């Protein structure tokens, strides 16, 4: 069992930065791949970024590539999402999710792939 808690969301002006954190409980968290997803009002949940259990594999949605960076510190059971050059279209609730690593790399962007979810943190970017 893994429990996830996101933090770090808030209100920021366009062009600004935020760093989201996903803190996990459970001794086996380091063996899980982790993804960040977001959902804006009236829209479907969409993939943002993902990282493998050992940080060797990272993936990004085209819309955030070059602006967002995902990383993890397994000693702290935490995954981060550094978000720079934020745009109003980044407005959403951001969720982190954990997946067992077996075949994860084949469909890392599919939210159905993930077994555990946090409650989400709101990111609001003002123009």
């Amino acid at each position: 069992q893994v429990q996830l808690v996101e933090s770090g969301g808030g209100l920021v002006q366009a062009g600004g930065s935020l760093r989201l954190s996903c803190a996990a409980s459970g001794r086996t968290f380091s063996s899980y791949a982790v993804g960040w997803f977001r959902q804006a009002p009236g829209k479907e949940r969409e993939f943002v970024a993902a990282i493998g259990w050992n940080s060797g594999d990272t993936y990004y949605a085209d819309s955030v590539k070059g602006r967002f960076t995902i990383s993890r510190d397994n000693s702290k059971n935490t995954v981060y999402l550094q978000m720079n050059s934020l745009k109003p279209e980044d407005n959403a609730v951001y969720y982190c999710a954990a997946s067992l690593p077996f075949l994860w790399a084949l469909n890392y962007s599919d939210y159905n792939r993930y077994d555990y979810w946090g409650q989400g943190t709101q990111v609001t970017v003002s123009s």
Side-chain angles (χ1 to χ4, degrees):
Q1 189 79 7
V2 175
Q3 293 185 324
L4 305 173
V5 179
E6 302 95 335
S7 62
L11 174 63
V12 64
Q13 288 188 330
S17 298
L18 284 173
R19 187 176 81 158
L20 305 184
S21 297
C22 173
S25 63
R27 291 177 294 175
T28 61
F29 177 69
S30 60
S31 63
Y32 283 79
V34 175
W36 283 96
F37 292 78
R38 66 187 181 187
Q39 188 165 20
K43 294 188 177 181
E44 291 190 356
R45 190 167 298 192
E46 65 173 357
F47 170 74
V48 176
I51 189 166
W53 67 275
N54 64 352
S55 304
D57 297 318
T58 57
Y59 304 95
Y60 297 92
D62 288 342
S63 59
V64 306
K65 203 170 292 184
R67 300 189 297 124
F68 290 11
T69 302
I70 189 170
S71 61
R72 68 189 298 162
D73 185 342
N74 285 337
S75 68
K76 297 181 179 179
N77 273 9
T78 302
V79 172
Y80 304 99
L81 185 68
Q82 178 66 44
M83 306 187 296
N84 299 329
S85 303
L86 283 162
K87 305 176 181 179
E89 50 263 45
D90 295 318
N91 277 333
V93 177
Y94 283 70
Y95 300 89
C96 66
S99 169
L100 288 170
F102 182 65
L103 298 181
W104 162 80
L106 297 181
N107 53 357
Y108 57 84
S109 63
D110 181 356
Y111 63 78
N112 291 302
R113 177 72 176 89
Y114 292 79
D115 306 295
Y116 303 102
W117 290 83
Q119 82 290 347
T121 185
Q122 176 71 49
V123 171
T124 303
V125 183
S126 62
S127 56

